[in-house]
Amino acid sequence: MRTTNERIRVGARGDTVEFQPIVELVGRAVDAAGVAIIVVGTLLATVLAAIRRRRQAGVYRGYRRRVGRSILLGLEFLVAGDIIRTVAVAPTYESVGVLAVIVGIRTFLSFSLELEITGRWPWQKPVAEAKD
């Protein structure tokens, strides 16, 4: 038996559209975008590092920074997909608890990556760089 929260009435005839499959599809699309961002970002960083390998010093630091940024952005999309699917589709105490654990782990990963990339916590001001 479906609840009224899972259906949306559209049209003059009172046709219904199922809400759950649409939200599930949107959640999967956001997840896929997150994975694509990580993969494409890593591939792009690898290609750029390979091209600059012989011309510039410090290529490895730039490579790590680019890969880290693509992972951070991809994690944001993955968290958004989890939120969409968990809260909008089936908000039970168990699913919200699982979501909280997933978001906590991913937030810890994001902070760790931010510290690794920039050398400071996200809430710290950047150190002014010396001008030439």
Side-chain angles (χ1 to χ4, degrees):
M1 186 78 177
R2 301 215 187 267
T3 65
T4 56
N5 292 340
E6 294 176 353
R7 293 181 176 203
I8 300 174
R9 294 207 181 275
V10 292
R13 298 180 306 190
D15 297 333
T16 59
V17 175
E18 296 294 323
F19 181 68
Q20 185 172 354
I22 293 170
V23 172
E24 186 69 30
L25 183 64
V26 169
R28 288 183 190 269
V30 172
D31 279 345
V35 171
I37 287 168
I38 293 171
V39 170
V40 170
T42 301
L43 290 175
L44 183 62
T46 303
V47 168
L48 287 173
I51 290 171
R52 296 177 179 174
R53 176 172 54 103
R54 295 190 176 143
R55 291 185 286 165
Q56 294 177 350
V59 174
Y60 179 70
R61 289 176 59 101
Y63 176 71
R64 284 183 56 201
R65 188 176 15 250
R66 286 184 190 91
V67 170
R69 287 182 180 158
S70 67
I71 292 171
L72 280 172
L73 183 59
L75 281 174
E76 296 296 331
F77 275 82
L78 291 170
V79 167
D82 286 340
I83 291 170
I84 290 169
R85 280 195 325 279
T86 302
V87 175
V89 174
T92 64
Y93 287 117
E94 182 180 349
S95 64
V96 172
V98 169
L99 176 65
V101 170
I102 291 170
V103 170
I105 291 169
R106 290 186 177 166
T107 301
F108 174 75
L109 287 173
S110 295
F111 280 145
S112 299
L113 284 169
E114 183 72 26
L115 180 62
E116 185 71 26
I117 292 169
T118 63
R120 61 183 174 80
W121 290 107
W123 54 84
Q124 291 177 323
K125 291 182 181 180
V127 177
E129 294 183 20
K131 295 183 179 182
D132 294 325

